Amino acid sequence: MLSKSHLKLITSLRLGKFRHEEGLFTVEGVKMVNELLYSNFEIKAIFATDEWISAGHLPPKRYTVEIFEISQTELEKISNLSTPNQVLALAFIKPNESLKCFKNEWVLALDQIRDPGNMGTIVRTADWFGFKRIVAAHGTVDLWNPKVVQASMGSVFRIPVHYTDLAEFLAKVCNTARIYGAFMEGDPVSETIFSDSGVMVIGNESHGISPTIAGLVHKKVTIMPATPDFNGRAESLNASLATAILCYEIQKQSKT
Amino acid sequence: MLSKSHLKLITSLRLGKFRHEEGLFTVEGVKMVNELLYSNFEIKAIFATDEWISAGHLPPKRYTVEIFEISQTELEKISNLSTPNQVLALAFIKPNESLKCFKNEWVLALDQIRDPGNMGTIVRTADWFGFKRIVAAHGTVDLWNPKVVQASMGSVFRIPVHYTDLAEFLAKVCNTARIYGAFMEGDPVSETIFSDSGVMVIGNESHGISPTIAGLVHKKVTIMPATPDFNGRAESLNASLATAILCYEIQKQSKT
């Protein structure tokens, strides 16, 4: 059964304010909860239908997690999915660690990505291509937003995202790294030789990289369209596609 | 004013059946309608608020298009957008031409992409990277679905998409072309040397490339994750990201 206090708690977590007050976020569906179960995130409780419970998804190390059996109707009340899928878990948000500069790796930096779908996809992509961490400027959409968590397909459990003052991070903490930025007017990515490690900055969906951050970038790069009239119309590929291409190219060069 | 018959006609076009019976589709918002106005698509009528009409968006060659002034409330009734934006146009669907094989160019082939957002993004990406046409297997989401049109950001007006029997196209019409396909188990894209022209096949979001089509592919390619455990979990990048990376790599190689 779903108690009133659980219903109230879980639905309140749709808002970032309450997620961070409670230190909790939600994870939904069989596949995503499975990713959570095998991650190193602490789980507060699981709310699941009989179907999920009887299938025995729990690995031994999770035997102590509290499980509440709920009905399909109750699941629909707490779910953020258009098609609720057997289970919702409450997990503890990991604290935002202060970030050092890691000299021999590539870091993805996000300058205020706002769309949860884009954010989740970007986290997923960075994880796919072996980036070890992401730095996000204040103003970037919350990582624990249910849509970000779902769109990341579990990558939020694998790759840390540090929210910070991005200008300070680039200027002081990581001031020996080579900093690249995705702009509409830069050198073609396809002709760029990337360094062995560095920071790749991706800007906001509408406004791109903010002026302060732009001033700290050493090399501006652009994913060129095949025909120049695209650029004449002042358009760009969307942020998540651009990130995928940049991460792909950086990973490709790092292997050769 | 919006007549009842117009209201009925426009809202009926949300369904593919009626779009193809009427030969009409809808285009919305200032930016997208602008793309339409400067395209070579025929326009049946425009429904717009006073704000749009008084701003004088019409180029001379469109002076004969019939314009109906409607209220914001009427626009909300016919709009498919969460935030209706001044204008909705009714345009004529271009007939699905029979397709020849073009020997010296790259063609993108879609084997039943189902999600309208993915489809629009893929059309956009192919256009961005200079693909001249797309071939879509029957079962691929309708190009004139309002979500596809909007997600393409106007690329549906620039790049033709031919719906056809894809197996027959690959086996008979385009049987001299080199055919590549995106699979979960193929050679790394980053190590692949693509031919100067050919066909790149992208599969369905859930099931990938269907067995019949797979049998016609000459070279299977994969966008490799940095760490092999991703593949161990039988996962892949989503279809629109994969397409973006493949189109980028093909365009890059064609320039060198």
Side-chain angles (χ1 to χ4, degrees):
Chain A
M1 233 206 43
L2 184 71
S3 70
K4 272 198 180 167
S5 62
H6 276 146
L7 173 63
K8 197 175 158 191
L9 170 65
I10 296 169
T11 52
S12 79
L13 301 178
R14 290 173 187 161
L15 292 182
K17 171 177 157 47
F18 294 116
R19 284 195 296 275
H20 288 276
E21 271 179 26
E22 301 285 347
L24 290 169
F25 68 104
T26 57
V27 182
E28 285 200 68
V30 177
K31 205 167 168 186
M32 282 289 296
V33 169
N34 221 38
E35 294 273 348
L36 173 68
L37 289 170
Y38 288 88
S39 76
N40 60 7
F41 275 64
E42 281 189 59
I43 301 174
K44 184 180 169 70
I46 289 175
F47 301 83
T49 60
D50 171 56
E51 187 183 1
W52 188 86
I53 293 169
S54 56
H57 289 283
L58 279 193
K61 71 164 180 171
R62 299 293 193 179
Y63 282 173
T64 55
V65 171
E66 200 169 15
I67 300 182
F68 297 89
E69 184 177 331
I70 59 174
S71 67
Q72 182 66 24
T73 313
E74 287 169 331
L75 180 63
E76 283 163 14
K77 279 186 194 160
I78 55 175
S79 176
N80 300 298
L81 302 179
S82 50
T83 337
N85 181 9
Q86 298 187 29
V87 57
L88 181 148
L90 277 186
F92 289 97
I93 290 176
K94 284 198 183 174
N96 194 23
E97 295 162 32
S98 68
L99 190 56
K100 289 177 288 182
C101 186
F102 296 83
K103 294 226 166 121
N104 299 313
E105 64 182 46
W106 269 94
V107 172
L108 189 67
L110 306 178
D111 189 13
Q112 303 184 54
I113 291 291
R114 290 284 161 79
D115 177 79
N118 276 345
M119 181 71 181
T121 305
I122 287 172
V123 171
R124 171 75 175 167
T125 305
D127 184 25
W128 181 273
F129 286 113
F131 282 67
K132 293 286 182 294
R133 66 201 78 247
I134 293 173
V135 182
H138 295 307
T140 304
V141 61
D142 183 31
L143 188 68
W144 310 110
N145 175 312
K147 287 184 188 164
V148 176
V149 172
Q150 298 300 127
S152 85
M153 294 174 70
S155 284
V156 291
F157 307 134
R158 298 162 54 102
I159 176 172
V161 181
H162 306 266
Y163 287 75
T164 190
D165 180 323
L166 184 57
E168 188 178 304
F169 173 78
L170 295 176
K172 295 186 185 160
V173 184
C174 214
N175 62 355
T176 57
R178 179 126 174 104
I179 301 166
Y180 296 79
F183 287 83
M184 285 178 55
E185 282 159 26
D187 295 329
V189 170
S190 56
E191 296 169 17
T192 301
I193 297 175
F194 289 95
S195 47
D196 294 339
S197 64
V199 179
M200 181 76 234
V201 186
I202 308 291
N204 170 271
E205 292 92 339
S206 303
H207 308 296
I209 295 176
S210 58
T212 315
I213 304 295
L216 298 166
V217 166
H218 303 127
K219 173 100 172 165
K220 297 181 177 186
V221 296
T222 302
I223 298 162
M224 303 298 279
T227 45
D229 66 321
F230 255 111
N231 256 3
R233 297 188 300 165
E235 294 185 358
S236 63
L237 276 184
N238 87 33
S240 56
L241 295 187
T243 306
I245 290 169
L246 286 162
C247 290
Y248 163 80
E249 185 64 50
I250 288 168
Q251 188 219 23
K252 177 180 172 180
Q253 293 191 18
S254 75
K255 288 193 301 187
T256 54
Chain B
M1 234 207 39
L2 185 71
S3 70
K4 272 197 180 168
S5 64
H6 277 146
L7 172 64
K8 198 175 158 192
L9 169 65
I10 296 169
T11 53
S12 80
L13 301 178
R14 289 173 188 160
L15 292 182
K17 172 177 155 49
F18 294 116
R19 283 195 296 274
H20 288 276
E21 270 179 26
E22 301 285 347
L24 291 169
F25 69 104
T26 56
V27 181
E28 285 200 67
V30 177
K31 206 168 166 184
M32 282 290 296
V33 169
N34 221 38
E35 295 273 347
L36 174 67
L37 289 170
Y38 288 88
S39 76
N40 59 7
F41 275 64
E42 280 189 59
I43 302 175
K44 183 180 169 71
I46 289 175
F47 300 83
T49 60
D50 170 55
E51 187 183 3
W52 188 86
I53 293 169
S54 55
H57 289 283
L58 280 193
K61 72 164 179 169
R62 299 294 193 179
Y63 283 174
T64 55
V65 172
E66 198 168 15
I67 299 183
F68 297 88
E69 185 177 332
I70 59 174
S71 68
Q72 182 65 25
T73 313
E74 287 169 331
L75 180 62
E76 283 163 14
K77 279 186 195 160
I78 56 175
S79 177
N80 299 298
L81 303 178
S82 51
T83 337
N85 181 9
Q86 299 186 28
V87 58
L88 181 149
L90 278 186
F92 289 96
I93 291 176
K94 284 198 183 172
N96 195 23
E97 296 162 33
S98 69
L99 191 57
K100 290 177 289 183
C101 186
F102 296 84
K103 295 227 165 122
N104 299 312
E105 65 182 47
W106 269 93
V107 172
L108 189 67
L110 307 178
D111 189 12
Q112 302 183 55
I113 291 290
R114 291 282 161 82
D115 178 78
N118 276 345
M119 181 70 182
T121 305
I122 287 172
V123 172
R124 170 76 175 166
T125 304
D127 184 25
W128 181 274
F129 286 114
F131 283 66
K132 294 284 183 293
R133 66 200 79 249
I134 293 174
V135 182
H138 296 307
T140 304
V141 60
D142 182 31
L143 188 69
W144 311 110
N145 176 313
K147 287 184 190 164
V148 176
V149 172
Q150 298 299 127
S152 84
M153 294 175 70
S155 285
V156 291
F157 307 133
R158 298 162 53 101
I159 176 172
V161 180
H162 307 266
Y163 287 74
T164 189
D165 181 322
L166 184 57
E168 188 178 303
F169 173 77
L170 294 176
K172 296 186 184 160
V173 185
C174 214
N175 62 355
T176 58
R178 180 129 172 103
I179 301 166
Y180 296 80
F183 287 82
M184 284 179 55
E185 280 158 29
D187 296 329
V189 171
S190 56
E191 295 168 18
T192 300
I193 297 174
F194 289 94
S195 47
D196 294 338
S197 63
V199 179
M200 181 75 236
V201 185
I202 308 291
N204 170 271
E205 293 93 337
S206 303
H207 309 296
I209 295 175
S210 58
T212 314
I213 304 296
L216 299 166
V217 166
H218 303 126
K219 173 100 172 164
K220 297 182 177 186
V221 297
T222 302
I223 298 163
M224 303 297 279
T227 46
D229 66 322
F230 256 109
N231 257 2
R233 297 187 300 164
E235 295 186 357
S236 62
L237 276 185
N238 85 34
S240 55
L241 295 187
T243 307
I245 290 169
L246 288 161
C247 290
Y248 163 81
E249 185 64 49
I250 288 168
Q251 188 218 22
K252 177 180 172 180
Q253 293 191 18
S254 74
K255 288 194 301 187
T256 54

